[in-house]
Amino acid sequence: MLDPLALAVALPLLGALLVTMLPGWSRTLGMLTALATTGVALWLTVTVWSGEGLRSDLGGWGVPLGIGLRADGLAAALVAMANLVALAISINATGYFGAAESSRKFWPLWLLLWTALNGLFLAADLFNLYVMLELLGLSAAALGALTGTREAAEANLRYLLVGLLGSMTYLLGVALLYTAYGVLDLELVAEALTPGPVAWSALALMIGGLLLKSALFPLHFWLPPAHANAPAPVSAALSALVVKAAVYLVLRLWLDLFDGIATLPAAMLLGLLGAGAVLWGSWRALRAERLKLLAAYSTVAQIGYLFLFLPLLTAAPDGDTRERLLTALVLLALTHGFAKAGFFLAAGLVQKSTGHDRIRELGGAAQSLPAATFTIGLAGVALIGLPPSGTFFAKWVLVGQAIALGQWWWALVAMAGTLLAAAYVFRVLARAFNREPTPKCFLTDPRTEIPALLLAALSALAVGLAAQPIAVLLGAGV
Amino acid sequence: MSSSNPQALLIPLLLAAIGALLFWAFWSGLTGHEGERLAALALERVPESGASNPVTSVLLNFRAYDTLLELAVLLAALLGIWSLGPAAAPYQRASLLLDSLVGWVVPMLIIAGGYLLWIGGQAPGGAFQAGALLGAAGVTLALSGRPNAGLPGEAWLRVLAALGTLVFALIGLTLMGVGLGFLTYPPALAKALILTIETGATLSIGATLAAAFLGGRPRAKRNAEP
Amino acid sequence: MSHEILLTQLLYGGAGILFFLLGVWSFISHEPLWRKLIALNIMGAGVFHVLVAVAYRGLDAPPDPVPHALVLTGIVVAVSATALALAFGRRLDREAPEHTSDAHGGVDDREDGTHA
């Protein structure tokens, strides 16, 4: 009896252990693990999509004694996205880390990061989430420093410390909940939780700690240098997946654990910070001088959009409106995951072949690297939110519901952010196309370009059109 | 950082206010809620877990999944440390007196580690305490000038560091394969499985801690001697 | 729950909260890496203190083993994180510009200029 939930965590862990022990085989073993893990993740998503929520009790003790894993629609949607992106990053990494030495360093840490991502999306236990957060934070910081430069080490040390501060704060919240209720399973605590000082303190500590990790404005200061200085496949993973995991956890706690505790004013505060992130992040992206820094600031902005949904979700009555908002939110998160990963992989290629990633000097990149430029264009479509990307539908719902629920100001923020996004994307594309077009051949390095291209195409074309199945998935297994 | 800075006063005041709120929350958490708690259930089911020490039951059976991932965190830290650079140069070789003391202390640490590993099933002790003692033996060796803290070369060290987690994960997967579920021990085998996992974990924890103390990738054997 | 147990739990748990906040204060107001790491470990010790206090159920009853196990797990995680952060510090020291004596403090110094 194979359990897809446990396999989604155990397989990448097993792979990480094997590549640690047999570094000479790291590429082969790593790719095999990547394929197997993605297969399990898709199996898991299809199972949930067909109407069965998954739950498994590890050790067979059941709650509250043992630790559970579970997948509802929200978890399954993110697992599918994260594993597809991770597979593309893995393929790209086999080309990017050509030299044996850096490839040996990359694979075990990367598979441990993957373990933590799947474990985090599927966890149903508050303390287990802490362990996953730490595994994620440690492996992400170590991977981010693989470029070996001083800037990368500084940025990732700061990221590590901020992450530790965040997870310690989260852990104190868990300790308070255990003090009051004596259980750690998320659903059991949620059932028992009543408004009061314990609930409010735990909410503030846990959400606060996670906001640090999800880089919500003005706690985003650590993100741009850490993401911009990492090797390209790692940047893609950090921006598309690692930050998203923290945001997912905020959402999970907000909707499942603190439902009824979290008040509208608290949600408004987070929405306000989200608005700040949209405007400030987009503005800094517009002013960025380097392609990867632009992408990193754009992540700050895109994280902001996700938080704009919180006040709407909190204000929305249960039922249809709430479901549509949640679908839009997930659509946005998935689209950004695909788009940003594709963008970073393409930026990595530009950096590798031109020796720099200064936007001002991109002149003619489109001529020498047509596939990479096309990728950036497609990802740009998704980041701006042009139809038929998922972002377009998500913003459509966001603006519509903001007005319907009487919180019209979020609509203004979303529109301003969209204009700024268009400006920063076209600024890159304008530089890339400023020589007469004489493309010789579309692909220059298929192994690094095709994964990026597929991710960007998924983000710009597929996710938006798949809004209906995604809505079905989110409705399933609750 | 001068104390005349208003910020230097503001932060402690703010933290004191937060502290008062947290203390209130803690107090109301202790007094306010009389419900079913995990503690009674955990103690009640210890006899079924294969270990008579309740903490070991929780760590290696009820919440074994946490422990598996915690070993992965330890490994991630070591891999991260290795990726940041080579180990520091070895310490100067200790004098004769200290050296013979080390010759006494290290075997004692190893024996004490073995004892803690064994006793962990019934009394306080277990893989982490035992691993910490082995790690301390490694640190002692490194401080007294032994290159590589008495650890094997990089190839074997990699095996040693991953071994504990590998044994743990493979046992979990095998149990899933035979239809029991991930990390679900059959009661008859629980004691033996826990001891196997703990032995592997002790070796890996000890090796990882000692290797982490060296602060970087192990140096090749040839040029290790000063 | 008897009076003695509650008082003990409040005393030790309250001390844990105090440790946690002292750690937070030290983390935000000191620049050098080693001070930040000690601060983080004090914060961790504070949380563990709270958990151990919750586990206490009087002198006659066995303590709740679950928080004890959580603390053991937490300690190993904290050790791992500290070790990795120290390796980062060593990496930065190795090619520190000029004065290496307090180069750990240099993590942030380009941005706010408070580094003396």
Side-chain angles (χ1 to χ4, degrees):
Chain A
M1 175 54 201
L2 292 177
D3 173 4
L5 292 168
L7 278 177
V9 184
L11 278 185
L13 178 61
L14 193 64
L17 296 167
L18 291 179
V19 298
T20 305
M21 295 167 111
L22 305 166
W25 291 77
S26 54
R27 268 211 286 190
T28 319
L29 288 172
M31 268 320 292
L32 283 175
T33 310
L35 286 169
T37 309
T38 312
V40 168
L42 294 180
W43 167 30
L44 185 155
T45 309
V46 169
T47 315
V48 176
W49 188 73
S50 61
E52 284 176 63
L54 288 171
R55 164 127 205 155
S56 94
D57 290 308
L58 304 175
W61 298 99
V63 288
L65 195 53
I67 300 176
L69 291 178
R70 66 140 183 206
D72 57 4
L74 177 63
L78 279 149
V79 162
M81 182 275 281
N83 282 267
L84 285 174
V85 170
L87 179 65
I89 289 172
S90 302
I91 298 170
N92 176 277
T94 57
Y96 186 92
F97 295 105
E101 185 53 38
S102 55
S103 167
R104 285 176 180 207
K105 290 179 187 169
F106 171 79
W107 279 103
L109 286 165
W110 165 236
L111 292 174
L112 285 175
L113 181 96
W114 199 335
T115 309
L117 279 172
N118 282 351
L120 206 144
F121 288 132
L122 301 174
D125 183 277
L126 292 173
F127 185 79
N128 184 243
L129 278 170
Y130 164 74
V131 181
M132 291 300 180
L133 278 172
E134 294 287 34
L135 183 58
L136 190 71
L138 259 62
S139 49
L143 280 169
L146 278 189
T147 36
T149 62
R150 187 179 170 82
E151 289 76 34
E154 276 180 11
N156 282 285
L157 174 57
R158 190 181 322 168
Y159 167 48
L160 180 67
L161 292 177
V162 167
L164 289 172
L165 185 66
S167 42
M168 274 303 161
T169 312
Y170 170 88
L171 188 60
L172 184 60
V174 176
L176 276 182
L177 288 178
Y178 190 83
T179 304
Y181 302 105
V183 283
L184 291 163
D185 182 74
L186 205 153
E187 282 173 36
L188 288 182
V189 177
E191 272 171 34
L193 201 62
T194 49
V198 173
W200 298 322
S201 308
L203 169 80
L205 288 167
M206 294 165 81
I207 301 283
L210 290 169
L211 290 185
L212 259 176
K213 283 182 168 279
S214 44
L216 178 63
F217 176 86
L219 306 172
H220 67 284
F221 55 92
W222 56 266
L223 186 147
H227 288 195
N229 284 310
V234 177
S235 302
L238 294 177
S239 248
L241 307 178
V242 175
V243 184
K244 206 67 46 68
V247 178
Y248 160 82
L249 213 48
V250 171
L251 192 69
R252 170 67 77 203
L253 297 182
W254 195 271
L255 296 178
D256 289 359
L257 184 61
F258 295 116
D259 189 31
I261 309 292
T263 54
L264 193 57
M268 285 287 183
L269 177 67
L270 292 188
L272 201 65
L273 297 181
V278 169
L279 299 175
W280 177 248
S282 305
W283 174 250
R284 289 299 302 260
L286 188 60
R287 303 290 311 254
E289 284 176 3
R290 290 174 45 207
L291 197 54
K292 283 169 79 181
L293 202 59
L294 177 149
Y297 272 112
S298 148
T299 298
V300 172
Q302 299 286 332
I303 295 296
Y305 280 113
L306 301 177
F307 281 94
L308 292 186
F309 281 92
L310 277 186
L312 298 174
L313 274 169
T314 310
D318 277 340
D320 224 20
T321 319
R322 204 178 157 106
E323 267 165 37
R324 280 174 63 189
L325 278 167
L326 196 60
T327 309
L329 169 59
V330 170
L331 214 53
L332 192 62
L334 300 192
T335 312
H336 176 250
F338 288 121
K340 191 50 62 70
F343 194 111
F344 261 121
L345 294 184
L349 191 72
V350 171
Q351 190 175 31
K352 215 167 186 184
S353 62
T354 59
H356 68 84
D357 67 338
R358 288 185 291 276
I359 297 167
R360 196 184 293 273
E361 296 158 37
L362 277 184
Q367 278 72 31
S368 50
L369 298 166
T373 315
F374 189 53
T375 303
I376 291 178
L378 277 176
V381 165
L383 290 178
I384 301 167
L386 299 176
S389 70
T391 319
F392 173 75
F393 291 105
K395 284 185 182 170
W396 185 264
V397 174
L398 176 69
V399 170
Q401 293 301 327
I403 292 166
L405 290 165
Q407 302 182 16
W408 49 269
W409 46 88
W410 307 128
L412 292 183
V413 174
M415 288 176 197
T418 305
L419 280 179
L420 285 168
Y424 67 68
V425 169
F426 286 125
R427 184 167 150 252
V428 174
L429 292 179
R431 297 281 183 193
F433 279 105
N434 64 356
R435 253 188 246 160
E436 70 257 35
T438 50
K440 291 180 290 269
C441 81
F442 184 65
L443 291 168
T444 37
D445 180 5
R447 195 154 39 164
T448 52
E449 280 174 327
I450 289 177
L453 198 57
L454 286 177
L455 287 174
L458 267 176
S459 74
L461 306 169
V463 181
L465 299 178
Q468 188 53 38
I470 290 175
V472 172
L473 176 62
L474 288 174
V478 178
Chain B
M1 227 150 280
S2 63
S3 55
S4 60
N5 189 349
Q7 232 190 345
L9 203 66
L10 198 64
I11 293 172
L13 279 177
L14 196 69
L15 287 173
I18 294 174
L21 288 175
L22 287 178
F23 191 78
W24 178 41
F26 182 61
W27 176 77
S28 83
L30 283 173
T31 52
H33 308 269
E34 295 290 334
E36 190 68 20
R37 297 184 67 96
L38 190 43
L41 184 65
L43 288 167
E44 185 190 307
R45 303 199 66 172
V46 165
E48 303 163 48
S49 71
S52 54
N53 173 12
V55 179
T56 304
S57 305
V58 176
L59 272 178
L60 281 134
N61 201 335
F62 306 149
R63 297 183 67 87
Y65 178 63
D66 267 352
T67 309
L68 172 67
L69 285 150
E70 154 200 4
L71 290 173
V73 174
L74 199 60
L75 182 66
L78 182 66
L79 292 166
I81 290 167
W82 281 354
S83 74
L84 284 163
Y91 287 89
Q92 195 184 356
R93 190 69 186 226
S95 66
L96 191 62
L97 191 64
L98 183 56
D99 213 41
S100 52
L101 184 66
V102 169
W104 274 94
V105 167
V106 169
M108 299 245 287
L109 282 170
I110 293 173
I111 291 172
Y115 171 75
L116 278 181
L117 169 65
W118 174 250
I119 201 73
Q122 302 104 51
F128 293 98
Q129 293 85 338
L133 284 188
L134 290 192
V139 171
T140 312
L141 286 174
L143 286 175
S144 64
R146 264 75 166 188
N148 289 351
L151 292 167
E154 185 179 339
W156 283 107
L157 184 53
R158 281 174 171 273
V159 174
L160 201 54
L163 183 73
T165 327
L166 185 73
V167 169
F168 208 155
L170 283 179
I171 287 180
L173 284 169
T174 310
L175 292 170
M176 183 203 296
V178 300
L180 288 165
F182 190 66
L183 290 173
T184 307
Y185 315 137
L189 287 178
K191 187 172 175 152
L193 288 177
I194 288 179
L195 195 65
T196 312
I197 292 170
E198 284 207 291
T199 309
T202 303
L203 290 175
S204 287
I205 293 168
T208 307
L209 290 177
F213 179 78
L214 296 175
R217 255 191 334 280
R219 290 158 178 266
K221 275 273 185 236
R222 275 177 271 112
N223 47 15
E225 286 294 330
Chain C
M1 187 180 294
S2 90
H3 199 63
E4 182 268 338
I5 298 175
L6 179 64
L7 211 61
T8 312
Q9 287 182 326
L10 276 179
L11 186 66
Y12 283 84
I17 292 172
L18 190 66
F19 279 170
F20 181 86
L21 292 167
L22 278 174
V24 174
W25 169 76
S26 187
F27 185 90
I28 33 191
S29 46
H30 294 112
E31 209 40 66
L33 174 66
W34 60 275
R35 295 204 66 164
K36 282 195 187 294
L37 281 178
I38 292 175
L40 279 170
N41 277 287
I42 301 263
M43 283 172 69
V47 180
F48 302 152
H49 228 262
V50 172
L51 284 169
V52 171
V54 174
Y56 179 70
R57 307 190 310 155
L59 287 172
D60 318 320
D64 180 355
V66 177
H68 283 216
L70 303 188
V71 169
L72 270 174
T73 306
I75 288 173
V76 175
V77 169
V79 166
S80 311
T82 309
L84 181 60
L86 284 172
F88 266 102
R90 233 177 64 86
R91 160 73 185 75
L92 290 174
D93 264 3
R94 223 178 301 135
E95 46 173 88
E98 304 313 301
H99 1 270
T100 40
S101 58
D102 65 349
H104 284 317
V107 178
D108 257 335
D109 58 3
R110 278 181 311 134
E111 286 207 346
D112 52 23
T114 53
H115 190 54

